[in-house]
Amino acid sequence: MIYRIDELFENEINPITGHKYDSSWIIFMHTNSKDYQWMCASNNRCAYTIKISLLNCKDWKMATCDFMGFCEANNKNAILVAAEKDLKAAKKYYGTHRYNESFLRENEPSVLVHSTPQSSWERIKQDGMLKSWNILKAEKAVAEKKPIGIKLGDPEDFSDYIMFGSGVTGEIVVNSKQQGKIIMDENAEYITGARLYFDAKKIAQDGLLLRDGCHLKVKDQLPLEPYLLWTATWDVIGLTSPVSTPKIFAEQADRQFQIITNNNLKTTIL
C-alpha cells in the first residue's frame, strides 16, 4: 500500500501506523534541495528514504511513478512525501509508461555497470551468471551474515536484486566489502576486482530491467550471455598492480571501454 503525505519528520515513528518502522517500509520524498538530485539513506532511525530534488532532477516525474509502480507490483508498504499537485503532474506526464517497460528511455544509459571482488568474479564465471545476495546466501556462497548495504540502511529486499551503478559507486561497494564497513573515500587504496559492462537495451528488451524510482536493477539472477559486453580487470586496463583506488580503476576502465566501443569491438573477456 502506498500512502501520500505532504510532509514527514524523519524519526523512528511511522506516521501511518503510529509505531516504529519495520523493515517492510520505504519512503520516497520530494525535496527542493540544491545539493543533490537523489539521496538515499536512513536518518534518525527512519525507514530507508529516497529523496529526489524537484529542482535538480528533471526526471522526477518519471522517477516518482516508477517508484509507485514498483511498490504496487511488489506489495510494498510505501510512503510518498509529495504535494498532491506534484503527484497529479507526475501521473499525467508518466502516461502509459511502466516501471518494467521493455525498452530504454532516452535518458537511460545504454550500458549498465556492476562491480565485484575478484573472488566473486571467479565464481560468476563458473556459474555463467550474476546472482542476487539472497540467492548466493541460500547457496552458502557468501560468508557474511548481512550485505554491506545494510550499514547504509538498505531494505532487506534489496538483497533480492542485482544492482547496477556508474562512476565509482560499484568500486566503493567493493572496497567497503573488503573493509567490512562503509568507505566513501574514492581515493582509498583497495584490491580491485572486476568491472562488468552489460547491454542495457538487451536486458530491457527481455523484460529483465526494473526501475524503482532510484535504481536500475534485475531480480534474482542475470546470465552473462548474451548481456555481458566486456569485463575490466587491473591487468586488462593496463594497471601495474591489482591495488588501486576506486577513482583510478573506474575512470581507467571506463576510458578503455569507450575505446573498445568506438572501435566497434564487442569482446567479452572471461
Side-chain angles (χ1 to χ4, degrees), residues 195-213:
R195 188 170 170 89
L196 314 181
Y197 294 77
F198 288 90
D199 188 330
K201 183 178 180 180
K202 283 184 180 179
I203 293 173
Q205 287 176 338
D206 289 347
L208 300 176
L209 187 64
L210 304 176
R211 307 161 178 89
D212 65 7

Side-chain angles (χ1 to χ4, degrees), residues 8-141:
L8 174 72
F9 183 70
E10 293 177 82
N11 60 24
E12 63 183 2
I13 302 301
N14 186 328
I16 306 303
T17 65
H19 303 292
K20 292 182 179 180
Y21 289 100
D22 60 37
S23 60
S24 70
W25 288 85
I26 190 169
I27 300 168
F28 192 90
M29 181 185 296
H30 287 181
T31 78
N32 290 310
S33 176
K34 297 180 180 179
D35 298 329
Y36 56 81
Q37 293 188 51
W38 281 278
M39 180 179 291
C40 302
S42 176
N43 298 316
N44 299 324
R45 299 182 181 178
C46 191
Y48 182 84
T49 302
I50 301 168
K51 296 180 181 179
I52 187 167
S53 172
L54 306 191
L55 296 180
N56 289 343
C57 184
K58 65 178 182 179
D59 294 317
W60 67 266
K61 297 183 183 73
M62 297 295 289
T64 299
C65 293
D66 282 339
F67 171 80
M68 295 174 64
F70 178 82
C71 289
E72 287 171 352
N74 291 278
N75 297 313
K76 293 185 67 65
N77 291 319
I79 298 175
L80 175 63
V81 187
E84 187 171 359
K85 64 178 180 62
D86 291 331
L87 178 55
K88 288 182 178 179
K91 288 181 175 179
K92 182 178 180 180
Y93 183 86
Y94 196 72
T96 58
H97 283 285
R98 290 181 56 82
Y99 77 97
N100 60 347
E101 55 197 3
S102 57
F103 59 88
L104 286 184
R105 300 166 184 168
E106 289 185 2
N107 65 316
E108 291 179 331
S110 60
V111 175
L112 298 175
V113 178
H114 179 84
S115 299
T116 188
Q118 185 61 38
S119 59
S120 298
W121 173 227
E122 296 302 323
R123 183 175 62 245
I124 290 166
K125 288 189 288 185
Q126 291 177 2
D127 292 341
M129 66 179 64
L130 292 178
K131 297 178 180 179
S132 71
W133 191 90
N134 277 342
I135 288 181
L136 292 172
K137 187 66 174 177
E139 294 176 349
K140 298 182 179 180

Side-chain angles (χ1 to χ4, degrees), residues 110-180:
S110 60
V111 175
L112 298 175
V113 178
H114 179 84
S115 299
T116 188
Q118 185 61 38
S119 59
S120 298
W121 173 227
E122 296 302 323
R123 183 175 62 245
I124 290 166
K125 288 189 288 185
Q126 291 177 2
D127 292 341
M129 66 179 64
L130 292 178
K131 297 178 180 179
S132 71
W133 191 90
N134 277 342
I135 288 181
L136 292 172
K137 187 66 174 177
E139 294 176 349
K140 298 182 179 180
V142 292
E144 62 263 36
K145 294 182 179 180
K146 297 286 184 180
I148 192 66
I150 293 295
K151 296 182 182 295
L152 287 174
D154 288 358
E156 291 182 0
D157 70 346
F158 273 30
S159 297
D160 289 328
Y161 299 89
I162 299 158
M163 312 294 281
F164 299 94
S166 60
V168 301
T169 303
E171 310 314 321
I172 292 290
V173 173
V174 170
N175 189 24
S176 296
K177 285 181 179 179
Q178 290 176 7
Q179 303 299 326

